[in-house]
Amino acid sequence: MSTVAKKAWSGTVTDEEQPKPPYRVGVALALVSFLWIGPYLGVQAVLLPSKVAVIAPSSKESVIAILSTSAMIVAALANIVFGALSDLTRSRWGRRTPWIVFGSIACAVMLIVVNMANTVVLLVLAWCIYQLFLNAIVAPSIAILSDMTAPRNRGVITSIYALGYSIGLYGGQIIGAQFLNKVTAGFIVMALLTLIAGPVGALGMREQSSLDMPKSRFDMHMVIDHFSFPVHHARDYYLALCGKFLIVSANFAISGYQLYILTDYMEQDSSQTSRLVSMISLCLMVTAIVMSAVAGPIADRIQRRKLPVVIAS
């Protein structure tokens, strides 16, 4: 009686093992992406500046700068930590799923705490902790792309992921704008959306168990290897990192102050501001959706990743 040998755990999938794109994984990633970045941008671009204007009206621009800078530092470090922790996680639900679920719950709680903060110090502290837990969703979600998608299919699946990201990026601001005069209600809605990101991702991705993954010995070499920036053969990593930093910085330098540009500089009232934020976000969302749909397949067709990025920037 013959037996079929059990496939050794690898944590990746090859082109031969996956002849067709795993659309289920792509849709799940798109939904998770929408459910974390939508609330994040809705809060960061609309609800948070509105709250800061109440807590510190005379220094709101400086407070936004402090919030952005401290959050950036925390997010950069947290991304490494949670990425490494998910790499090392052995569970029946896989390496990434437990962290995505944990992150969605923790972020939902912290959004409520951010809403309750009544001083600048408490607001900065709560926002930084929120950023910490947000990366428990972000880093493992991105890793899922390479874990569960063969190289030949990554362009298509990345486009689906980018579609959810783009809708959340600007759709979150549209949602947030509807709560400009009801900030607490807005925070609750954003918390609930974030809360369901984990269960949606777990049910949609159905990640393979990682219990068969070899155990890593916990020593200094392992800590340096997993919990630090790469130092060998990492030229492309740092080029991508710097490029993403510049693009995101330019974008957030405007979106972070969008509310104050409309209210203080252009002297719009709350109803006009809400309408303009929604209109701007809708225009950006439509163009982003179009580009998300075509960018990945084009990159797959020409078999080049850097050229479209250069042209777009």
Side-chain angles (χ1 to χ4, degrees):
M1 181 177 178
S2 62
T3 58
V4 178
K6 184 179 179 181
K7 180 180 179 292
W9 188 90
S10 66
T12 59
V13 59
T14 65
D15 288 342
E16 292 73 22
E17 293 170 330
Q18 193 181 77
K20 296 182 179 179
Y23 291 110
R24 173 177 53 82
V25 175
V27 171
L29 283 173
L31 289 172
V32 171
S33 179
F34 169 78
L35 290 168
W36 76 257
I37 199 169
Y40 168 55
L41 263 297
V43 171
Q44 189 268 344
V46 181
L47 301 181
L48 192 63
S50 181
K51 184 172 183 63
V52 170
V54 174
I55 295 177
S58 61
S59 57
K60 57 187 179 182
E61 296 88 354
S62 299
V63 173
I64 289 295
I66 293 170
L67 285 165
S68 299
T69 303
S70 56
M72 177 184 67
I73 295 170
V74 171
L77 297 175
N79 195 270
I80 297 173
V81 171
F82 283 113
L85 288 174
S86 70
D87 283 345
L88 300 169
T89 298
R90 300 170 71 251
S91 81
R92 59 179 294 187
W93 301 282
R95 294 188 293 175
R96 321 297 182 185
T97 301
W99 292 106
I100 294 173
V101 173
F102 164 75
S104 67
I105 296 171
C107 283
V109 172
M110 288 312 303
L111 282 177
I112 301 300
V113 175
V114 169
N115 177 61
M116 294 170 61
N118 55 11
T119 67
V120 171
V121 173
L122 289 176
L123 188 63
V124 172
L125 180 61
W127 187 242
C128 285
I129 296 174
Y130 166 74
Q131 291 287 336
L132 175 72
F133 292 134
L134 189 65
N135 279 275
I137 304 174
V138 179
S141 294
I142 295 174
I144 285 281
L145 261 175
S146 56
D147 287 352
M148 302 184 69
T149 308
R152 67 186 294 174
N153 298 321
R154 285 176 188 167
V156 173
I157 301 304
T158 299
S159 283
I160 298 174
Y161 166 81
L163 179 64
Y165 184 93
S166 298
I167 295 175
L169 189 66
Y170 304 111
Q173 296 180 53
I174 295 174
I175 297 171
Q178 312 313 307
F179 295 95
L180 197 54
N181 294 319
K182 299 171 288 210
V183 173
T184 296
F187 270 101
I188 293 172
V189 169
M190 297 305 184
L192 290 174
L193 288 174
T194 309
L195 182 63
I196 63 175
V200 166
L203 291 173
M205 292 180 292
R206 283 177 274 173
E207 188 184 358
Q208 177 189 6
S209 168
S210 59
L211 290 174
D212 292 334
M213 180 178 73
K215 292 183 179 180
S216 296
R217 181 181 177 184
F218 194 88
D219 54 20
M220 186 55 65
H221 176 75
M222 185 275 285
V223 171
I224 294 174
D225 186 43
H226 286 277
F227 293 90
S228 63
F229 286 102
V231 293
H232 301 295
H233 310 295
R235 175 179 174 274
D236 285 352
Y237 168 82
Y238 286 106
L239 287 173
L241 179 66
C242 291
K244 186 66 177 289
F245 171 78
L246 293 171
I247 292 171
V248 171
S249 297
N251 185 28
F252 279 73
I254 298 173
S255 66
Y257 289 98
Q258 177 178 244
L259 187 68
Y260 300 156
I261 291 171
L262 293 171
T263 57
D264 296 5
Y265 181 70
M266 299 182 67
E267 299 181 349
Q268 304 294 299
D269 60 29
S270 60
S271 62
Q272 291 171 321
T273 298
S274 176
R275 186 171 64 254
L276 285 170
V277 169
S278 298
M279 187 185 302
I280 293 167
S281 300
L282 182 61
C283 292
L284 292 170
M285 183 171 67
V286 169
T287 55
I289 289 172
V290 172
M291 291 309 300
S292 297
V294 303
I298 288 174
D300 282 348
R301 180 64 62 87
I302 67 175
Q303 297 184 348
R304 298 183 70 177
R305 309 299 185 196
K306 297 177 184 178
L307 182 61
V309 175
V310 172
I311 293 173
S313 61

